[in-house]
Amino acid sequence: MRNLFLKRVAEGVFSSTKSRSSVAAPTAQCPRYIQSRQYAVSQPIVEEQPETVVFPREGLGISYGLNWALAGRGVITKEKAFHNLKTSELHQKGATTAEHLSRVPIYVRGSATGGALDISKANFSKLLKRVTTHLSSISNVFVHDGAVCSSPKCDAKVRVISDGPSAILALSNVLWRTPTRAVSHDSCPVTVYVAASESQSIGESIGLGPEASNGFIAADIECSSLILCGKAFADTSGTKDSLAALAAPVISARDGLPLSARLLFSGDSLILVFAPESTIQSCSDLHKFDTDIVLSSHGVAPLFRSRDPSAPNLYKLPDAVIFAAADSSGALPSVSKLSPGQAAYHFLAGYQNGKFLPGYIKGPSPNNPLELAKALLSQLKDKEIPSFLLNVNIGEKSLTGKDLVKLIETTISKSVPPLQSKGNIQEQYKSFLSGKFQDLPEEFSF
Protein backbone atom coordinates (compact mmCIF):
# COMPACT_ATOMS: atom_id res chain seq x y z
CA MET A 1 0.00 0.00 0.00
CA ARG A 2 2.80 2.43 0.83
CA ASN A 3 4.44 1.78 -2.52
CA LEU A 4 1.14 2.33 -4.29
CA PHE A 5 0.65 5.67 -2.50
CA LEU A 6 4.17 6.85 -3.37
CA LYS A 7 3.60 5.83 -6.97
CA ARG A 8 0.41 7.89 -7.17
CA VAL A 9 2.13 10.94 -5.56
CA ALA A 10 4.93 10.70 -8.14
CA GLU A 11 2.34 10.73 -10.90
CA GLY A 12 0.98 14.06 -9.58
CA VAL A 13 -2.31 12.72 -8.19
CA PHE A 14 -3.32 14.03 -4.78
CA SER A 15 -5.56 11.98 -2.50
CA SER A 16 -8.40 13.28 -0.41
CA THR A 17 -11.07 11.47 1.53
CA LYS A 18 -14.73 11.85 0.62
CA SER A 19 -15.36 13.62 3.87
CA ARG A 20 -13.12 16.51 2.81
CA SER A 21 -13.96 19.11 0.21
CA SER A 22 -11.55 21.13 -1.89
CA VAL A 23 -12.13 24.84 -2.44
CA ALA A 24 -11.41 26.26 -5.90
CA ALA A 25 -11.09 29.88 -6.89
CA PRO A 26 -14.42 31.56 -7.63
CA THR A 27 -15.59 31.28 -11.20
CA ALA A 28 -19.06 31.38 -12.66
CA GLN A 29 -18.43 27.89 -14.07
CA CYS A 30 -15.79 25.99 -12.13
CA PRO A 31 -13.52 23.75 -14.28
CA ARG A 32 -14.49 20.08 -14.39
CA TYR A 33 -12.37 17.84 -12.23
CA ILE A 34 -10.97 14.55 -13.51
CA GLN A 35 -13.09 11.67 -12.30
CA SER A 36 -11.78 9.56 -9.43
CA ARG A 37 -10.69 5.97 -9.90
CA GLN A 38 -10.75 3.07 -7.44
CA TYR A 39 -7.87 0.58 -7.20
CA ALA A 40 -8.49 -3.00 -5.99
CA VAL A 41 -5.90 -4.82 -3.87
CA SER A 42 -5.27 -8.55 -3.57
CA GLN A 43 -5.61 -8.94 0.18
CA PRO A 44 -7.93 -11.09 2.24
CA ILE A 45 -9.55 -7.97 3.63
CA VAL A 46 -10.22 -5.14 1.18
CA GLU A 47 -9.67 -1.72 2.75
CA GLU A 48 -11.71 1.30 1.66
CA GLN A 49 -9.61 3.43 -0.71
CA PRO A 50 -9.71 7.25 -0.64
CA GLU A 51 -11.10 9.09 -3.63
CA THR A 52 -8.37 10.74 -5.73
CA VAL A 53 -8.80 14.12 -7.37
CA VAL A 54 -6.55 15.96 -9.84
CA PHE A 55 -6.82 19.69 -9.40
CA PRO A 56 -6.99 21.58 -12.71
CA ARG A 57 -3.81 23.38 -13.61
CA GLU A 58 -3.59 27.12 -14.15
CA GLY A 59 -2.88 28.50 -17.60
CA LEU A 60 -3.41 31.52 -19.82
CA GLY A 61 -6.51 33.26 -18.55
CA ILE A 62 -6.87 30.95 -15.54
CA SER A 63 -5.41 32.10 -12.24
CA TYR A 64 -7.15 31.23 -8.99
CA GLY A 65 -5.35 33.99 -7.08
CA LEU A 66 -6.48 36.58 -9.63
CA ASN A 67 -10.03 35.21 -9.61
CA TRP A 68 -10.21 35.60 -5.84
CA ALA A 69 -8.85 39.15 -6.10
CA LEU A 70 -11.42 40.08 -8.75
CA ALA A 71 -14.18 38.57 -6.63
CA GLY A 72 -13.09 40.91 -3.84
CA ARG A 73 -13.85 43.75 -6.26
CA GLY A 74 -17.27 42.34 -7.12
CA VAL A 75 -16.34 40.69 -10.43
CA ILE A 76 -16.82 36.91 -10.73
CA THR A 77 -14.80 35.43 -13.59
CA LYS A 78 -17.12 33.48 -15.86
CA GLU A 79 -14.48 31.76 -17.97
CA LYS A 80 -11.12 33.51 -18.26
CA ALA A 81 -9.38 36.62 -16.97
CA PHE A 82 -6.46 37.67 -19.17
CA HIS A 83 -3.88 39.41 -17.01
CA ASN A 84 -1.22 41.94 -18.12
CA LEU A 85 -1.18 40.96 -21.77
CA LYS A 86 1.49 42.47 -24.00
CA THR A 87 0.52 44.90 -26.75
CA SER A 88 0.88 42.21 -29.42
CA GLU A 89 -1.29 39.83 -27.39
CA LEU A 90 -3.97 42.50 -26.96
CA HIS A 91 -4.03 43.00 -30.72
CA GLN A 92 -4.41 39.25 -31.18
CA LYS A 93 -7.44 39.40 -28.88
CA GLY A 94 -8.99 42.09 -31.08
CA ALA A 95 -7.76 45.34 -29.50
CA THR A 96 -7.91 48.41 -31.71
CA THR A 97 -6.81 52.01 -31.20
CA ALA A 98 -9.97 53.96 -30.45
CA GLU A 99 -10.62 57.33 -32.04
CA HIS A 100 -9.75 60.08 -29.57
CA LEU A 101 -12.64 61.64 -27.67
CA SER A 102 -12.74 64.80 -25.58
CA ARG A 103 -15.05 66.34 -23.00
CA VAL A 104 -16.75 63.15 -21.94
CA PRO A 105 -18.95 63.93 -18.89
CA ILE A 106 -17.13 63.36 -15.60
CA TYR A 107 -18.99 62.68 -12.36
CA VAL A 108 -16.98 62.72 -9.14
CA ARG A 109 -17.86 62.05 -5.53
CA GLY A 110 -15.46 63.56 -2.99
CA SER A 111 -13.81 66.38 -4.98
CA ALA A 112 -12.73 69.41 -2.95
CA THR A 113 -12.04 71.67 -5.91
CA GLY A 114 -14.93 70.96 -8.25
CA GLY A 115 -14.07 70.60 -11.91
CA ALA A 116 -16.63 67.83 -12.37
CA LEU A 117 -20.31 67.02 -11.95
CA ASP A 118 -21.41 65.58 -8.62
CA ILE A 119 -22.66 62.02 -8.15
CA SER A 120 -24.31 60.78 -4.97
CA LYS A 121 -23.05 57.82 -2.97
CA ALA A 122 -26.28 55.92 -3.68
CA ASN A 123 -26.07 56.51 -7.42
CA PHE A 124 -22.41 55.54 -7.59
CA SER A 125 -23.15 52.33 -5.66
CA LYS A 126 -25.99 51.55 -8.03
CA LEU A 127 -23.78 52.22 -11.03
CA LEU A 128 -20.96 50.07 -9.63
CA LYS A 129 -23.39 47.19 -9.06
CA ARG A 130 -24.55 47.38 -12.68
CA VAL A 131 -20.97 47.44 -13.97
CA THR A 132 -19.72 44.53 -11.86
CA THR A 133 -22.78 42.47 -12.83
CA HIS A 134 -22.02 43.21 -16.48
CA LEU A 135 -18.35 42.22 -16.09
CA SER A 136 -19.40 39.01 -14.33
CA SER A 137 -21.78 38.08 -17.16
CA ILE A 138 -19.30 38.12 -20.05
CA SER A 139 -17.09 35.17 -20.95
CA ASN A 140 -13.69 36.86 -20.69
CA VAL A 141 -12.41 39.89 -18.84
CA PHE A 142 -9.11 41.69 -19.30
CA VAL A 143 -7.03 42.90 -16.36
CA HIS A 144 -4.08 45.28 -16.36
CA ASP A 145 -1.95 46.44 -13.43
CA GLY A 146 -0.08 49.74 -13.44
CA ALA A 147 0.61 52.85 -11.40
CA VAL A 148 0.02 56.59 -11.31
CA CYS A 149 3.38 58.36 -10.73
CA SER A 150 6.65 56.89 -11.94
CA SER A 151 8.32 56.90 -8.52
CA PRO A 152 7.80 53.58 -6.66
CA LYS A 153 8.34 55.44 -3.38
CA CYS A 154 5.13 57.46 -3.65
CA ASP A 155 3.07 55.98 -6.49
CA ALA A 156 -0.55 54.80 -6.43
CA LYS A 157 -1.10 51.28 -7.74
CA VAL A 158 -3.98 50.77 -10.19
CA ARG A 159 -5.87 47.66 -11.34
CA VAL A 160 -8.00 47.92 -14.49
CA ILE A 161 -10.81 45.39 -15.10
CA SER A 162 -12.29 45.66 -18.59
CA ASP A 163 -14.86 43.91 -20.77
CA GLY A 164 -12.61 44.27 -23.82
CA PRO A 165 -8.95 44.55 -24.84
CA SER A 166 -9.14 47.98 -26.52
CA ALA A 167 -9.58 49.83 -23.21
CA ILE A 168 -6.63 47.90 -21.74
CA LEU A 169 -4.52 48.96 -24.71
CA ALA A 170 -5.44 52.62 -24.16
CA LEU A 171 -4.86 52.60 -20.40
CA SER A 172 -1.60 50.64 -20.61
CA ASN A 173 -0.22 53.56 -22.64
CA VAL A 174 -1.08 55.94 -19.78
CA LEU A 175 -0.17 54.01 -16.62
CA TRP A 176 3.37 53.28 -15.52
CA ARG A 177 4.42 49.65 -15.41
CA THR A 178 4.65 48.06 -12.00
CA PRO A 179 6.19 44.77 -10.80
CA THR A 180 4.10 41.61 -10.89
CA ARG A 181 1.94 41.18 -7.77
CA ALA A 182 2.60 44.81 -6.74
CA VAL A 183 -1.10 45.65 -6.89
CA SER A 184 -2.21 42.63 -4.90
CA HIS A 185 0.33 43.50 -2.18
CA ASP A 186 -0.55 47.19 -2.07
CA SER A 187 -2.55 48.50 0.87
CA CYS A 188 -4.80 50.89 -1.07
CA PRO A 189 -4.90 50.29 -4.83
CA VAL A 190 -7.19 52.19 -7.19
CA THR A 191 -9.66 50.02 -9.11
CA VAL A 192 -10.83 50.98 -12.61
CA TYR A 193 -13.90 49.25 -14.08
CA VAL A 194 -14.46 49.51 -17.84
CA ALA A 195 -17.88 48.71 -19.32
CA ALA A 196 -17.32 49.70 -22.93
CA SER A 197 -20.38 47.87 -24.24
CA GLU A 198 -23.00 49.24 -21.84
CA SER A 199 -22.82 53.01 -21.89
CA GLN A 200 -26.33 54.27 -22.58
CA SER A 201 -28.27 51.66 -20.62
CA ILE A 202 -26.08 52.09 -17.55
CA GLY A 203 -26.28 55.87 -17.71
CA GLU A 204 -30.06 55.76 -17.92
CA SER A 205 -30.21 53.45 -14.89
CA ILE A 206 -28.97 56.24 -12.60
CA GLY A 207 -30.76 59.08 -14.36
CA LEU A 208 -27.94 60.59 -16.40
CA GLY A 209 -28.98 62.79 -19.27
CA PRO A 210 -28.48 62.26 -23.00
CA GLU A 211 -25.02 63.85 -22.81
CA ALA A 212 -23.76 60.59 -21.28
CA SER A 213 -25.05 58.38 -24.10
CA ASN A 214 -21.66 58.25 -25.85
CA GLY A 215 -19.84 57.40 -22.66
CA PHE A 216 -19.05 58.92 -19.28
CA ILE A 217 -16.63 58.74 -16.37
CA ALA A 218 -17.65 58.30 -12.72
CA ALA A 219 -15.29 58.33 -9.74
CA ASP A 220 -15.65 57.82 -6.02
CA ILE A 221 -12.51 59.15 -4.36
CA GLU A 222 -13.48 57.75 -0.95
CA CYS A 223 -13.73 54.21 -2.38
CA SER A 224 -10.76 54.60 -4.78
CA SER A 225 -12.99 53.42 -7.62
CA LEU A 226 -13.27 54.68 -11.19
CA ILE A 227 -15.84 53.63 -13.79
CA LEU A 228 -15.39 54.20 -17.53
CA CYS A 229 -18.52 53.54 -19.55
CA GLY A 230 -18.92 53.38 -23.30
CA LYS A 231 -16.13 55.07 -25.22
CA ALA A 232 -14.94 57.08 -22.23
CA PHE A 233 -11.59 55.25 -22.18
CA ALA A 234 -10.79 57.06 -25.45
CA ASP A 235 -10.94 60.42 -23.63
CA THR A 236 -7.31 60.44 -22.50
CA SER A 237 -7.46 63.83 -20.78
CA GLY A 238 -10.61 63.00 -18.82
CA THR A 239 -9.23 59.61 -17.82
CA LYS A 240 -5.97 61.16 -16.62
CA ASP A 241 -7.76 63.87 -14.63
CA SER A 242 -9.96 61.26 -12.94
CA LEU A 243 -7.06 58.92 -12.18
CA ALA A 244 -5.04 61.84 -10.79
CA ALA A 245 -7.91 62.72 -8.44
CA LEU A 246 -8.19 59.14 -7.17
CA ALA A 247 -4.42 58.74 -6.79
CA ALA A 248 -3.85 62.08 -5.02
CA PRO A 249 -4.68 60.91 -1.44
CA VAL A 250 -2.43 57.86 -1.81
CA ILE A 251 0.47 59.86 -3.25
CA SER A 252 0.12 62.52 -0.54
CA ALA A 253 0.10 59.85 2.19
CA ARG A 254 3.39 58.56 0.76
CA ASP A 255 5.08 61.99 1.02
CA GLY A 256 4.56 62.96 -2.59
CA LEU A 257 3.09 66.30 -3.63
CA PRO A 258 0.83 65.96 -6.72
CA LEU A 259 0.90 69.23 -8.65
CA SER A 260 -0.70 70.60 -11.82
CA ALA A 261 2.62 71.71 -13.27
CA ARG A 262 4.72 71.03 -16.36
CA LEU A 263 8.42 70.54 -16.97
CA LEU A 264 10.67 72.72 -19.08
CA PHE A 265 14.31 72.01 -19.84
CA SER A 266 16.78 74.80 -20.49
CA GLY A 267 20.28 73.45 -20.98
CA ASP A 268 21.03 71.51 -17.80
CA SER A 269 18.31 73.29 -15.84
CA LEU A 270 14.97 71.71 -14.96
CA ILE A 271 12.20 74.28 -14.50
CA LEU A 272 8.83 73.62 -12.93
CA VAL A 273 6.14 75.76 -14.60
CA PHE A 274 2.68 76.52 -13.19
CA ALA A 275 0.40 78.02 -15.81
CA PRO A 276 -3.23 77.88 -16.96
CA GLU A 277 -4.01 75.15 -19.47
CA SER A 278 -4.46 77.62 -22.34
CA THR A 279 -0.90 78.89 -21.83
CA ILE A 280 0.51 75.38 -21.64
CA GLN A 281 -1.23 74.28 -24.82
CA SER A 282 0.04 77.35 -26.67
CA CYS A 283 3.65 76.30 -26.03
CA SER A 284 4.83 72.97 -27.41
CA ASP A 285 7.83 72.93 -25.05
CA LEU A 286 5.47 72.94 -22.06
CA HIS A 287 3.17 70.13 -23.18
CA LYS A 288 5.93 68.03 -24.70
CA PHE A 289 5.65 65.54 -21.83
CA ASP A 290 1.86 65.89 -21.59
CA THR A 291 1.56 65.08 -17.91
CA ASP A 292 1.43 66.70 -14.47
CA ILE A 293 4.02 65.85 -11.86
CA VAL A 294 4.72 64.72 -8.31
CA LEU A 295 7.30 66.64 -6.27
CA SER A 296 9.03 64.89 -3.40
CA SER A 297 12.34 65.02 -1.56
CA HIS A 298 13.67 62.54 -4.13
CA GLY A 299 12.96 64.77 -7.12
CA VAL A 300 10.27 65.14 -9.77
CA ALA A 301 8.22 62.21 -11.09
CA PRO A 302 5.65 62.38 -13.92
CA LEU A 303 2.13 61.30 -13.03
CA PHE A 304 1.61 59.44 -16.32
CA ARG A 305 3.64 58.00 -19.14
CA SER A 306 4.64 60.50 -21.79
CA ARG A 307 3.91 60.23 -25.48
CA ASP A 308 7.68 60.48 -25.89
CA PRO A 309 9.02 56.93 -25.21
CA SER A 310 12.53 58.30 -24.66
CA ALA A 311 11.47 60.60 -21.81
CA PRO A 312 12.96 59.66 -18.39
CA ASN A 313 10.64 58.46 -15.66
CA LEU A 314 12.41 60.30 -12.84
CA TYR A 315 14.03 63.72 -12.69
CA LYS A 316 16.17 65.68 -10.24
CA LEU A 317 14.77 68.44 -8.07
CA PRO A 318 13.84 71.54 -10.07
CA ASP A 319 16.41 74.31 -10.42
CA ALA A 320 13.66 76.96 -10.46
CA VAL A 321 9.89 77.34 -10.23
CA ILE A 322 7.86 79.68 -12.45
CA PHE A 323 4.33 80.88 -11.63
CA ALA A 324 2.61 82.28 -14.73
CA ALA A 325 0.02 84.93 -13.98
CA ALA A 326 -1.99 86.86 -16.56
CA ASP A 327 -2.53 90.59 -16.08
CA SER A 328 -3.41 92.95 -18.94
CA SER A 329 -3.76 96.04 -16.74
CA GLY A 330 -0.04 96.56 -16.17
CA ALA A 331 -0.38 96.06 -12.41
CA LEU A 332 2.10 93.16 -12.51
CA PRO A 333 5.60 93.52 -14.01
CA SER A 334 6.77 91.05 -16.65
CA VAL A 335 9.05 89.16 -14.24
CA SER A 336 9.57 89.25 -10.45
CA LYS A 337 11.62 87.34 -7.89
CA LEU A 338 9.52 85.73 -5.12
CA SER A 339 10.33 84.63 -1.59
CA PRO A 340 9.07 81.14 -0.60
CA GLY A 341 6.12 82.75 1.24
CA GLN A 342 5.24 84.85 -1.80
CA ALA A 343 5.56 81.81 -4.06
CA ALA A 344 3.08 79.86 -1.94
CA TYR A 345 0.69 82.86 -1.94
CA HIS A 346 0.74 83.27 -5.73
CA PHE A 347 0.48 79.51 -6.22
CA LEU A 348 -2.64 79.51 -4.06
CA ALA A 349 -4.17 82.38 -6.04
CA GLY A 350 -3.31 81.41 -9.63
CA TYR A 351 -4.28 84.91 -10.80
CA GLN A 352 -5.61 85.19 -14.38
CA ASN A 353 -6.91 88.67 -15.34
CA GLY A 354 -9.27 89.20 -12.44
CA LYS A 355 -10.04 85.51 -12.00
CA PHE A 356 -8.32 82.97 -9.79
CA LEU A 357 -7.33 79.34 -10.29
CA PRO A 358 -6.28 78.07 -6.83
CA GLY A 359 -3.30 75.75 -7.03
CA TYR A 360 -3.50 75.96 -10.85
CA ILE A 361 -5.71 72.86 -10.54
CA LYS A 362 -7.67 72.36 -13.74
CA GLY A 363 -9.59 69.16 -12.89
CA PRO A 364 -11.28 67.47 -9.94
CA SER A 365 -9.08 66.99 -6.89
CA PRO A 366 -9.65 65.90 -3.29
CA ASN A 367 -6.68 67.96 -2.11
CA ASN A 368 -7.29 71.31 -0.47
CA PRO A 369 -5.27 73.93 -2.41
CA LEU A 370 -4.25 75.60 0.85
CA GLU A 371 -2.69 72.37 2.12
CA LEU A 372 -0.89 71.97 -1.21
CA ALA A 373 0.42 75.54 -0.88
CA LYS A 374 1.75 74.83 2.62
CA ALA A 375 3.49 71.66 1.42
CA LEU A 376 4.96 73.50 -1.56
CA LEU A 377 6.25 76.24 0.75
CA SER A 378 8.04 73.60 2.81
CA GLN A 379 9.68 72.09 -0.28
CA LEU A 380 10.83 75.47 -1.61
CA LYS A 381 12.35 76.42 1.74
CA ASP A 382 13.96 73.07 2.54
CA LYS A 383 15.49 72.64 -0.93
CA GLU A 384 16.23 76.36 -1.43
CA ILE A 385 14.55 76.41 -4.84
CA PRO A 386 14.27 79.94 -6.35
CA SER A 387 10.82 81.07 -7.52
CA PHE A 388 9.64 83.69 -9.99
CA LEU A 389 6.34 85.30 -10.99
CA LEU A 390 5.92 85.84 -14.72
CA ASN A 391 3.21 87.91 -16.37
CA VAL A 392 2.29 86.23 -19.68
CA ASN A 393 0.25 89.25 -20.84
CA ILE A 394 1.73 92.35 -22.43
CA GLY A 395 -1.27 94.63 -22.87
CA GLU A 396 -3.80 92.64 -24.86
CA LYS A 397 -1.16 90.26 -26.24
CA SER A 398 -0.31 86.96 -24.56
CA LEU A 399 3.13 85.43 -24.66
CA THR A 400 3.08 82.01 -26.32
CA GLY A 401 5.41 79.48 -27.87
CA LYS A 402 9.06 80.37 -28.23
CA ASP A 403 8.53 83.89 -26.86
CA LEU A 404 7.27 82.44 -23.57
CA VAL A 405 10.16 79.97 -23.36
CA LYS A 406 12.67 82.72 -24.09
CA LEU A 407 11.25 84.89 -21.28
CA ILE A 408 11.42 81.96 -18.83
CA GLU A 409 15.02 81.17 -19.77
CA THR A 410 16.01 84.84 -19.47
CA THR A 411 14.30 85.08 -16.08
CA ILE A 412 16.28 82.28 -14.44
CA SER A 413 19.60 83.35 -15.93
CA LYS A 414 19.80 86.93 -14.73
CA SER A 415 19.21 89.05 -11.63
CA VAL A 416 15.48 89.73 -11.23
CA PRO A 417 14.03 92.41 -8.91
CA PRO A 418 11.49 91.51 -6.21
CA LEU A 419 7.79 91.92 -6.91
CA GLN A 420 6.43 95.46 -7.02
CA SER A 421 2.81 95.87 -8.09
CA LYS A 422 0.65 98.85 -9.08
CA GLY A 423 -2.99 99.71 -8.46
CA ASN A 424 -5.32 97.67 -6.29
CA ILE A 425 -4.34 94.23 -7.47
CA GLN A 426 -3.15 93.27 -3.98
CA GLU A 427 -6.66 93.98 -2.67
CA GLN A 428 -8.13 91.67 -5.32
CA TYR A 429 -5.85 88.86 -4.13
CA LYS A 430 -6.65 89.51 -0.48
CA SER A 431 -10.40 89.70 -1.04
CA PHE A 432 -10.51 86.42 -2.91
CA LEU A 433 -8.13 84.40 -0.73
CA SER A 434 -9.47 85.60 2.63
CA GLY A 435 -13.00 84.79 1.55
CA LYS A 436 -12.14 81.29 0.29
CA PHE A 437 -9.44 80.16 2.73
CA GLN A 438 -9.43 80.68 6.46
CA ASP A 439 -6.33 81.32 8.59
CA LEU A 440 -3.69 81.82 5.93
CA PRO A 441 -0.18 81.34 7.39
CA GLU A 442 1.57 84.58 8.33
CA GLU A 443 4.41 83.71 5.94
CA PHE A 444 2.02 83.87 2.98
CA SER A 445 2.24 87.36 1.46
CA PHE A 446 1.69 89.15 -1.82
Side-chain angles (χ1 to χ4, degrees):
M1 286 297 295
R2 181 175 181 275
N3 291 338
L4 176 61
F5 173 75
L6 293 176
K7 178 181 178 182
R8 301 310 301 157
V9 170
E11 292 175 352
V13 179
F14 297 86
S15 299
S16 62
T17 63
K18 292 182 179 179
S19 61
R20 297 178 180 176
S21 61
S22 59
V23 180
T27 59
Q29 296 178 351
C30 291
R32 186 178 301 171
Y33 293 114
I34 296 177
Q35 294 181 350
S36 62
R37 293 183 292 175
Q38 299 290 338
Y39 293 87
V41 294
S42 56
Q43 292 184 5
I45 300 176
V46 179
E47 299 179 359
E48 181 181 0
Q49 298 301 307
E51 183 180 16
T52 60
V53 176
V54 177
F55 289 91
R57 296 181 178 180
E58 296 187 356
L60 183 62
I62 302 175
S63 169
Y64 301 132
L66 178 62
N67 286 356
W68 278 114
L70 295 181
R73 294 291 181 264
V75 177
I76 305 300
T77 306
K78 187 175 182 180
E79 291 185 12
K80 292 185 177 182
F82 295 102
H83 190 205
N84 287 344
L85 295 185
K86 299 177 181 177
T87 300
S88 59
E89 294 172 324
L90 289 170
H91 284 301
Q92 291 173 5
K93 296 294 182 183
T96 59
T97 302
E99 182 180 354
H100 176 70
L101 291 180
S102 61
R103 298 183 179 179
V104 169
I106 301 176
Y107 303 84
V108 178
R109 177 176 175 266
S111 173
T113 61
L117 302 170
D118 291 329
I119 185 170
S120 68
K121 182 176 182 179
N123 277 347
F124 188 89
S125 298
K126 186 177 180 180
L127 174 62
L128 182 60
K129 178 64 176 177
R130 282 288 304 271
V131 170
T132 53
T133 300
H134 163 69
L135 291 170
S136 300
S137 69
I138 61 178
S139 298
N140 301 320
V141 294
F142 295 82
V143 182
H144 179 79
D145 293 338
V148 174
C149 180
S150 62
S151 172
K153 296 182 181 295
C154 55
D155 66 354
K157 302 296 190 298
V158 179
R159 169 158 287 171
V160 183
I161 311 170
S162 174
D163 58 359
S166 295
I168 296 294
L169 179 64
L171 286 162
S172 65
N173 291 327
V174 169
L175 297 171
W176 291 98
R177 293 182 176 86
T178 191
T180 304
R181 299 182 182 274
V183 173
S184 58
H185 286 76
D186 194 78
S187 59
C188 45
V190 173
T191 305
V192 180
Y193 303 87
V194 183
S197 60
E198 279 212 355
S199 61
Q200 188 168 2
S201 62
I202 290 184
E204 291 175 351
S205 71
I206 59 171
L208 301 183
E211 65 274 7
S213 61
N214 199 37
F216 63 91
I217 298 172
D220 188 330
I221 295 174
E222 181 182 328
C223 297
S224 297
S225 297
L226 178 65
I227 297 173
L228 307 177
C229 288
K231 299 179 181 179
F233 67 86
D235 182 355
T236 305
S237 297
T239 300
K240 284 183 177 180
D241 287 346
S242 303
L243 281 170
L246 288 167
V250 180
I251 292 172
S252 298
R254 294 171 178 173
D255 296 325
L257 184 59
L259 298 169
S260 295
R262 296 299 175 97
L263 301 177
L264 177 67
F265 292 90
S266 175
D268 295 330
S269 298
L270 174 64
I271 307 166
L272 205 59
V273 180
F274 292 90
E277 190 65 17
S278 58
T279 300
I280 291 172
Q281 293 305 318
S282 72
C283 181
S284 59
D285 292 88
L286 287 180
H287 64 82
K288 179 179 179 181
F289 300 102
D290 194 37
T291 180
D292 291 334
I293 61 94
V294 173
L295 178 63
S296 71
S297 58
H298 308 289
V300 176
L303 267 182
F304 300 103
R305 292 176 63 187
S306 169
R307 291 176 295 185
D308 181 0
S310 64
N313 59 354
L314 291 172
Y315 301 88
K316 63 178 182 177
L317 285 166
D319 297 286
V321 177
I322 296 288
F323 300 95
D327 173 55
S328 302
S329 68
L332 291 178
S334 59
V335 294
S336 306
K337 180 71 180 293
L338 300 176
S339 68
Q342 287 178 308
Y345 189 82
H346 284 274
F347 164 81
L348 184 61
Y351 182 75
Q352 308 298 320
N353 269 330
K355 299 180 181 179
F356 296 86
L357 186 65
Y360 289 85
I361 299 171
K362 63 182 184 299
S365 172
N367 287 339
N368 187 315
L370 178 56
E371 297 305 317
L372 289 178
K374 292 177 181 178
L376 179 61
L377 170 63
S378 178
Q379 288 280 358
L380 296 177
K381 290 174 61 177
D382 293 346
K383 306 303 180 184
E384 298 182 347
I385 303 172
S387 305
F388 305 88
L389 181 68
L390 186 151
N391 184 5
V392 298
N393 280 15
I394 302 177
E396 297 300 323
K397 181 181 177 181
S398 296
L399 286 175
T400 59
K402 296 298 182 182
D403 292 335
L404 177 59
V405 173
K406 184 177 180 179
L407 180 58
I408 292 174
E409 292 176 338
T410 302
T411 298
I412 67 171
S413 63
K414 69 177 185 180
S415 177
V416 176
L419 176 61
Q420 291 184 346
S421 65
K422 303 175 183 178
N424 66 346
I425 194 170
Q426 292 190 45
E427 292 302 319
Q428 293 183 51
Y429 273 74
K430 183 178 180 180
S431 176
F432 172 78
L433 293 176
S434 62
K436 189 172 181 62
F437 303 103
Q438 304 299 317
D439 301 323
L440 291 180
E442 291 184 3
E443 198 166 357
F444 281 37
S445 65
F446 184 87

